[in-house]
Amino acid sequence: MFLRKRMSRYTQGCSDKSVGTDELNRENSMNKDYLNRINIIKEKLEQADAVVIGAGAGLSTAAGFTYSGERFDRYFSDFGEKYGFTDMYSGGFYDFDTLEEYWAYWSRYVYVNRYMNPPKPLYRDIFELVKNKDYFVLTTNVDHCFQKAGFDKERMFYTQGDYGLFQCSRPCHDKTYDNEEIIKKMVLSQGFKIENIQCADSEKDGKTENILVKPQDTEIKLTIPTELVPRCPKCGRPMSMNLRADNTFVQDDGWYMAADRYEKFMENYRGQKILFLELGVGFNTPGIIKYNFWKYAAGWKNAFYVCINKGEAYVPGEIVDKSVSVNEDISVVCHNYSLRKGH
């Protein structure tokens, strides 16, 4: 089976060293190879009848949604000091003693990763590349960045859930609930403020966003009032996030409708020139995007596969003649692509 066979890895990079003619020749060769790959992507995108974007966590990371470092310190340093974890992801698995503390943590987590924009306008840059094409987005990301960047919600399938939705923790019924208003109340109850500022890419259109701010000389609480703890409107049990973590994940009507739209899109373009553009997809859940893209590239005569992911740019040998990979930061590739558009 071709997925089990040896994979070829394609890498490129640039060196800051200047240690002689041989080194410079190697650097120039790698630069030419990199630009050649950008040109191939440009050509295939222009020729494509349709584009299917497959997006994983690496895309949001490239856009600046990092779960450790400065962002963690800004919003979660108090939790980190108390419980010893150093990144948002680890904190999401912590077994807090009370629901009031659990939701204090998760309300911050949801607000900064769902209701604030990523630091870099990468998603909007990608939208500019495909907005005049017939496209569809298949993603395991749950941060809603595609829709915030202008992508049509009818052309997206969020397979693993949405930070912006609650569900019954049992669950007693297959329905999800928008959580924006209650999440705002939770973070405000802890002492944060929400301020309206210009977006990172506001020079284009003057858009603003509401960011979470810690006021000076204010002690931020690590709990929320009991009355803000979300509970199921049917059975009264605590609500949970609509994230695929176990067999309690709710696939609501919207989930199934999105799945149907994706299947119809794929069927409509069977046999046509279709570009599978994989961005930031690793091997945590490869069966949802990566392996399916490989299968389509191998089985569909006019399909072409692009993989962009720094450190994990792999292509199976069986589709090497109809694929290109770029082992570089997606934001860098997108910028370089834009520079090549006029060439």
Side-chain angles (χ1 to χ4, degrees), residues 78-79 82-83 85 91 94-108 186 190 221-226 229:
D78 50 356
F79 276 100
K82 183 174 181 178
Y83 294 107
F85 49 77
Y94 193 88
D95 187 16
F96 294 103
D97 289 336
T98 67
L99 287 173
E100 288 81 2
E101 197 165 15
Y102 173 88
W103 282 111
Y105 181 84
W106 269 97
S107 60
R108 299 186 202 179
M186 289 182 192
Q190 296 171 62
K221 302 174 184 177
L222 281 77
T223 63
I224 64 167
T226 300
V229 172

Side-chain angles (χ1 to χ4, degrees), residues 10 44 297 303-304 315-324:
Y10 295 85
K44 294 300 181 180
F304 193 87
V315 169
E318 289 78 2
I319 58 172
V320 67
D321 60 338
K322 51 193 312 188
S323 304
V324 65

Side-chain angles (χ1 to χ4, degrees), residues 57-93:
L59 177 57
S60 286
T61 299
F65 263 178
T66 54
Y67 280 25
S68 59
E70 190 275 334
R71 291 184 78 238
F72 176 82
D73 293 340
R74 186 189 306 174
Y75 297 111
F76 299 94
S77 60
D78 50 356
F79 276 100
E81 290 172 4
K82 183 174 181 178
Y83 294 107
F85 49 77
T86 58
D87 65 89
M88 297 182 217
Y89 187 76
S90 298
F93 290 96

Side-chain angles (χ1 to χ4, degrees), residues 94-200:
Y94 193 88
D95 187 16
F96 294 103
D97 289 336
T98 67
L99 287 173
E100 288 81 2
E101 197 165 15
Y102 173 88
W103 282 111
Y105 181 84
W106 269 97
S107 60
R108 299 186 202 179
Y109 191 113
V110 170
Y111 194 88
V112 301
N113 292 306
R114 172 62 168 78
Y115 297 114
M116 286 170 54
N117 292 327
K120 301 177 185 178
L122 178 57
Y123 278 88
R124 296 194 63 186
D125 292 341
I126 294 170
F127 178 64
E128 290 298 316
L129 299 181
V130 302
K131 67 180 183 181
N132 295 322
K133 290 286 184 179
D134 204 356
Y135 66 83
F136 204 97
V137 174
L138 178 68
T139 183
T140 55
N141 293 347
V142 294
D143 51 27
H144 214 62
C145 285
F146 279 104
Q147 194 165 330
K148 288 188 291 185
F151 285 81
D152 185 350
K153 65 179 181 180
E154 299 297 311
R155 300 186 188 191
M156 293 184 288
F157 181 19
Y158 289 85
T159 66
Q160 306 299 82
D162 185 341
Y163 282 147
L165 298 176
F166 286 158
Q167 64 168 71
C168 176
S169 57
R170 187 182 182 188
C172 70
H173 63 298
D174 294 334
K175 185 178 179 181
T176 58
Y177 299 85
D178 292 338
N179 64 23
E180 183 174 7
E181 291 308 313
I182 187 65
I183 290 293
K184 287 181 179 178
K185 290 179 181 179
M186 289 182 192
V187 295
L188 290 173
S189 75
Q190 296 171 62
F192 286 98
K193 289 186 177 180
I194 296 174
E195 295 185 357
N196 187 263
I197 66 166
Q198 288 185 330
C199 295

